[in-house]
Structures are given as structure tokens and as C-alpha cells.
Short mmCIF file of all heavy atoms in Angstrom, two decimals:
data_model
loop_
_atom_site.label_atom_id
_atom_site.label_comp_id
_atom_site.label_asym_id
_atom_site.label_seq_id
_atom_site.Cartn_x
_atom_site.Cartn_y
_atom_site.Cartn_z
N LEU A 22 6.54 -5.48 -5.33
CA LEU A 22 7.70 -6.06 -4.38
C LEU A 22 8.10 -7.32 -4.93
O LEU A 22 7.34 -8.36 -4.98
CB LEU A 22 7.06 -6.07 -3.04
CG LEU A 22 6.40 -4.84 -2.39
CD1 LEU A 22 5.85 -5.08 -1.07
CD2 LEU A 22 7.44 -3.61 -2.45
N ASP A 23 9.38 -7.42 -5.21
CA ASP A 23 10.03 -8.61 -5.71
C ASP A 23 10.66 -9.39 -4.60
O ASP A 23 11.70 -9.00 -4.02
CB ASP A 23 10.95 -8.31 -6.87
CG ASP A 23 11.53 -9.60 -7.49
OD1 ASP A 23 10.98 -10.72 -7.18
OD2 ASP A 23 12.45 -9.46 -8.31
N GLU A 24 10.07 -10.51 -4.12
CA GLU A 24 10.60 -11.28 -3.01
C GLU A 24 10.95 -10.44 -1.76
O GLU A 24 11.99 -10.42 -1.35
CB GLU A 24 11.79 -12.09 -3.48
CG GLU A 24 11.55 -13.16 -4.52
CD GLU A 24 10.71 -14.36 -4.12
OE1 GLU A 24 10.46 -14.47 -2.91
OE2 GLU A 24 10.45 -15.18 -4.81
N PRO A 25 9.94 -9.76 -1.26
CA PRO A 25 10.28 -8.79 -0.16
C PRO A 25 10.75 -9.43 1.10
O PRO A 25 11.25 -8.68 2.04
CB PRO A 25 8.85 -8.00 0.06
CG PRO A 25 7.90 -9.03 -0.43
CD PRO A 25 8.48 -9.82 -1.61
N THR A 26 10.40 -10.78 1.37
CA THR A 26 10.77 -11.43 2.69
C THR A 26 11.96 -12.39 2.33
O THR A 26 12.25 -13.16 3.29
CB THR A 26 9.71 -12.11 3.29
OG1 THR A 26 9.07 -12.98 2.50
CG2 THR A 26 8.57 -11.08 3.68
N ALA A 27 12.55 -12.50 1.19
CA ALA A 27 13.63 -13.45 1.01
C ALA A 27 14.78 -13.24 1.91
O ALA A 27 15.12 -11.97 2.15
CB ALA A 27 14.00 -13.39 -0.45
N ALA A 28 15.25 -14.24 2.45
CA ALA A 28 16.56 -14.16 3.33
C ALA A 28 16.23 -13.44 4.66
O ALA A 28 17.39 -13.06 5.20
CB ALA A 28 17.71 -13.59 2.43
N LEU A 29 15.09 -13.20 4.97
CA LEU A 29 14.87 -12.43 6.21
C LEU A 29 14.37 -13.50 7.29
O LEU A 29 13.77 -14.54 6.98
CB LEU A 29 13.72 -11.32 6.13
CG LEU A 29 13.98 -10.22 5.19
CD1 LEU A 29 12.88 -9.25 5.26
CD2 LEU A 29 15.36 -9.53 5.51
N GLY A 30 14.73 -13.17 8.50
CA GLY A 30 14.15 -13.99 9.65
C GLY A 30 12.79 -13.73 9.95
O GLY A 30 12.15 -12.95 9.38
N VAL A 31 12.26 -14.51 10.98
CA VAL A 31 10.93 -14.46 11.34
C VAL A 31 10.50 -13.05 11.69
O VAL A 31 9.45 -12.49 11.31
CB VAL A 31 10.40 -15.53 12.40
CG1 VAL A 31 9.11 -15.30 12.77
CG2 VAL A 31 10.69 -16.91 11.88
N ARG A 32 11.32 -12.48 12.67
CA ARG A 32 10.93 -11.10 13.15
C ARG A 32 10.96 -10.08 12.03
O ARG A 32 10.08 -9.13 11.84
CB ARG A 32 11.82 -10.77 14.31
CG ARG A 32 11.51 -9.34 14.89
CD ARG A 32 12.45 -9.04 16.04
NE ARG A 32 12.32 -10.03 17.06
CZ ARG A 32 13.10 -9.98 18.30
NH1 ARG A 32 13.99 -9.03 18.39
NH2 ARG A 32 12.76 -10.83 19.18
N GLU A 33 12.04 -10.07 11.23
CA GLU A 33 12.23 -9.14 10.17
C GLU A 33 11.14 -9.24 9.01
O GLU A 33 10.64 -8.31 8.43
CB GLU A 33 13.54 -9.16 9.50
CG GLU A 33 14.61 -8.80 10.59
CD GLU A 33 15.99 -8.85 10.02
OE1 GLU A 33 16.26 -9.57 9.07
OE2 GLU A 33 16.80 -7.99 10.46
N SER A 34 10.77 -10.61 8.81
CA SER A 34 9.67 -10.82 7.73
C SER A 34 8.34 -10.20 8.30
O SER A 34 7.60 -9.61 7.51
CB SER A 34 9.51 -12.21 7.54
OG SER A 34 10.67 -12.85 6.96
N ARG A 35 8.22 -10.33 9.66
CA ARG A 35 6.94 -9.79 10.23
C ARG A 35 6.75 -8.33 10.01
O ARG A 35 5.72 -7.72 9.75
CB ARG A 35 7.05 -10.08 11.68
CG ARG A 35 5.78 -9.61 12.58
CD ARG A 35 4.52 -10.45 12.29
NE ARG A 35 3.67 -9.93 11.33
CZ ARG A 35 2.83 -10.52 10.58
NH1 ARG A 35 2.69 -11.85 10.66
NH2 ARG A 35 2.22 -10.02 9.63
N ARG A 36 7.90 -7.52 10.15
CA ARG A 36 7.97 -6.06 9.90
C ARG A 36 7.49 -5.81 8.59
O ARG A 36 6.73 -4.86 8.28
CB ARG A 36 9.34 -5.53 10.17
CG ARG A 36 9.74 -5.56 11.62
CD ARG A 36 11.31 -5.41 11.76
NE ARG A 36 11.74 -4.15 11.24
CZ ARG A 36 11.95 -3.05 11.92
NH1 ARG A 36 11.81 -3.07 13.27
NH2 ARG A 36 12.37 -1.92 11.38
N VAL A 37 8.12 -6.59 7.49
CA VAL A 37 7.82 -6.28 6.09
C VAL A 37 6.30 -6.73 5.81
O VAL A 37 5.56 -5.92 5.15
CB VAL A 37 8.68 -7.07 5.19
CG1 VAL A 37 8.28 -6.98 3.71
CG2 VAL A 37 10.09 -6.69 5.38
N LEU A 38 5.71 -7.82 6.30
CA LEU A 38 4.44 -8.15 6.11
C LEU A 38 3.42 -7.15 6.64
O LEU A 38 2.43 -6.87 6.08
CB LEU A 38 4.20 -9.55 6.70
CG LEU A 38 4.92 -10.61 6.01
CD1 LEU A 38 4.64 -12.01 6.76
CD2 LEU A 38 4.40 -10.96 4.52
N ASP A 39 3.71 -6.67 7.91
CA ASP A 39 2.89 -5.69 8.50
C ASP A 39 2.89 -4.37 7.55
O ASP A 39 1.72 -3.68 7.40
CB ASP A 39 3.44 -5.37 9.88
CG ASP A 39 3.08 -6.43 10.95
OD1 ASP A 39 2.31 -7.26 10.60
OD2 ASP A 39 3.70 -6.33 11.99
N LEU A 40 4.03 -3.98 7.02
CA LEU A 40 4.03 -2.82 6.18
C LEU A 40 3.31 -3.07 4.90
O LEU A 40 2.55 -2.12 4.48
CB LEU A 40 5.51 -2.57 5.80
CG LEU A 40 5.67 -1.20 4.96
CD1 LEU A 40 5.07 -0.04 5.53
CD2 LEU A 40 7.17 -1.10 4.82
N ILE A 41 3.24 -4.24 4.39
CA ILE A 41 2.46 -4.44 3.23
C ILE A 41 1.02 -4.33 3.46
O ILE A 41 0.16 -3.75 2.71
CB ILE A 41 2.73 -5.93 2.59
CG1 ILE A 41 4.11 -6.07 2.15
CG2 ILE A 41 1.72 -6.37 1.53
CD1 ILE A 41 4.60 -7.44 1.76
N LEU A 42 0.54 -4.89 4.61
CA LEU A 42 -0.88 -4.77 5.05
C LEU A 42 -1.18 -3.27 5.26
O LEU A 42 -2.48 -2.78 5.04
CB LEU A 42 -1.05 -5.54 6.37
CG LEU A 42 -1.01 -7.01 6.13
CD1 LEU A 42 -1.10 -7.79 7.59
CD2 LEU A 42 -2.13 -7.54 5.30
N ARG A 43 -0.26 -2.43 5.78
CA ARG A 43 -0.60 -1.00 5.84
C ARG A 43 -0.64 -0.27 4.67
O ARG A 43 -1.53 0.52 4.40
CB ARG A 43 0.58 -0.33 6.82
CG ARG A 43 0.27 -0.66 8.28
CD ARG A 43 1.18 0.10 9.14
NE ARG A 43 2.56 -0.04 9.14
CZ ARG A 43 3.14 -1.10 9.81
NH1 ARG A 43 2.45 -1.78 10.78
NH2 ARG A 43 4.52 -1.25 9.79
N LEU A 44 0.11 -0.83 3.68
CA LEU A 44 -0.04 -0.15 2.27
C LEU A 44 -1.40 -0.45 1.70
O LEU A 44 -1.99 0.40 1.11
CB LEU A 44 1.13 -0.73 1.39
CG LEU A 44 2.54 -0.38 1.70
CD1 LEU A 44 3.47 -1.06 0.67
CD2 LEU A 44 2.73 1.05 1.79
N ARG A 45 -1.80 -1.66 1.90
CA ARG A 45 -3.25 -1.97 1.41
C ARG A 45 -4.31 -1.23 2.12
O ARG A 45 -5.17 -0.74 1.42
CB ARG A 45 -3.49 -3.52 1.60
CG ARG A 45 -4.88 -3.90 1.26
CD ARG A 45 -5.09 -5.48 1.41
NE ARG A 45 -5.17 -5.79 2.75
CZ ARG A 45 -5.29 -7.06 3.23
NH1 ARG A 45 -5.45 -8.00 2.43
NH2 ARG A 45 -5.22 -7.29 4.43
N ALA A 46 -4.14 -1.01 3.50
CA ALA A 46 -5.11 -0.24 4.21
C ALA A 46 -5.10 1.22 3.69
O ALA A 46 -6.15 1.85 3.81
CB ALA A 46 -4.79 -0.33 5.64
N GLU A 47 -3.95 1.80 3.23
CA GLU A 47 -3.92 3.04 2.73
C GLU A 47 -4.38 3.32 1.34
O GLU A 47 -4.42 4.36 0.80
CB GLU A 47 -2.49 3.63 2.84
CG GLU A 47 -1.98 3.93 4.25
CD GLU A 47 -0.86 4.84 4.32
OE1 GLU A 47 -0.24 5.11 3.26
OE2 GLU A 47 -0.45 5.25 5.45
N GLY A 48 -4.73 2.10 0.73
CA GLY A 48 -5.41 2.09 -0.70
C GLY A 48 -4.43 1.94 -1.82
O GLY A 48 -4.80 2.11 -2.92
N HIS A 49 -3.19 1.58 -1.43
CA HIS A 49 -2.11 1.20 -2.50
C HIS A 49 -2.56 -0.10 -3.28
O HIS A 49 -3.13 -1.07 -2.53
CB HIS A 49 -0.82 1.03 -2.09
CG HIS A 49 -0.13 2.40 -1.81
ND1 HIS A 49 -0.29 3.05 -0.50
CD2 HIS A 49 0.55 3.26 -2.41
CE1 HIS A 49 0.39 4.03 -0.50
NE2 HIS A 49 0.95 4.21 -1.57
N ALA A 50 -2.47 -0.25 -4.40
CA ALA A 50 -2.49 -1.46 -5.15
C ALA A 50 -1.00 -2.09 -5.01
O ALA A 50 -0.13 -1.43 -5.46
CB ALA A 50 -2.91 -1.32 -6.61
N VAL A 51 -0.96 -3.30 -4.53
CA VAL A 51 0.38 -3.93 -4.18
C VAL A 51 0.39 -5.25 -4.95
O VAL A 51 -0.46 -6.13 -4.92
CB VAL A 51 0.50 -4.13 -2.77
CG1 VAL A 51 1.91 -4.72 -2.42
CG2 VAL A 51 0.28 -2.89 -2.00
N ILE A 52 1.56 -5.36 -5.77
CA ILE A 52 1.85 -6.69 -6.33
C ILE A 52 3.00 -7.32 -5.68
O ILE A 52 4.12 -6.69 -5.60
CB ILE A 52 2.13 -6.55 -7.86
CG1 ILE A 52 0.99 -5.96 -8.62
CG2 ILE A 52 2.63 -7.84 -8.57
CD1 ILE A 52 1.07 -5.62 -10.10
N VAL A 53 2.97 -8.46 -5.26
CA VAL A 53 4.05 -9.14 -4.53
C VAL A 53 4.44 -10.42 -5.27
O VAL A 53 3.49 -11.25 -5.63
CB VAL A 53 3.58 -9.51 -3.04
CG1 VAL A 53 4.61 -10.31 -2.41
CG2 VAL A 53 3.15 -8.32 -2.34
N ILE A 54 5.65 -10.59 -5.60
CA ILE A 54 6.14 -11.79 -6.11
C ILE A 54 6.94 -12.56 -5.00
O ILE A 54 7.67 -11.97 -4.15
CB ILE A 54 7.19 -11.55 -7.19
CG1 ILE A 54 6.50 -11.09 -8.46
CG2 ILE A 54 7.97 -12.83 -7.50
CD1 ILE A 54 7.55 -10.72 -9.56
N SER A 55 6.45 -13.81 -4.67
CA SER A 55 7.03 -14.57 -3.46
C SER A 55 6.97 -15.93 -3.65
O SER A 55 6.12 -16.51 -4.31
CB SER A 55 6.35 -14.07 -2.27
OG SER A 55 6.85 -14.81 -1.17
N HIS A 56 7.97 -16.69 -3.14
CA HIS A 56 7.87 -18.10 -3.07
C HIS A 56 7.36 -18.62 -1.67
O HIS A 56 7.25 -19.87 -1.42
CB HIS A 56 9.28 -18.68 -3.39
CG HIS A 56 9.68 -18.70 -4.80
ND1 HIS A 56 10.37 -17.60 -5.34
CD2 HIS A 56 9.35 -19.42 -5.81
CE1 HIS A 56 10.63 -17.85 -6.69
NE2 HIS A 56 10.02 -18.92 -6.94
N ALA A 57 7.22 -17.69 -0.87
CA ALA A 57 6.82 -18.09 0.69
C ALA A 57 5.28 -18.17 0.68
O ALA A 57 4.67 -17.09 0.82
CB ALA A 57 7.42 -16.98 1.61
#
């Protein structure tokens, strides 16, 4: 994921972060590039 929360508001960023945590819980290996 390349800058998955860039230009998103607080509520929308929350949706994306929750999804990343669910991907981890399902056993995915996740690479995140972020400045946040």
C-alpha cells in the first residue's frame, strides 16, 4: 500500500487503518509506505 491514507480525513483514514489491521489478522503480509 503506497500512502493509503494520504489526503484522507480522520474518519476516512480510520476506515483504511481498520482494514489494514483486518488484513494482518487474516494472515496477509502487508507493506505500507507512509509519511503519517
Side-chain angles (χ1 to χ4, degrees):
L22 307 176
D23 187 5
E24 297 288 356
T26 58
L29 297 184
V31 174
R32 181 180 298 179
E33 294 185 325
S34 293
R35 179 73 267 156
R36 291 162 61 97
V37 176
L38 296 175
D39 287 343
L40 180 52
I41 292 172
L42 293 173
R43 284 193 287 274
L44 295 183
R45 179 176 67 182
E47 288 198 350
H49 285 89
V51 183
I52 298 175
V53 177
I54 292 179
S55 179
H56 286 93

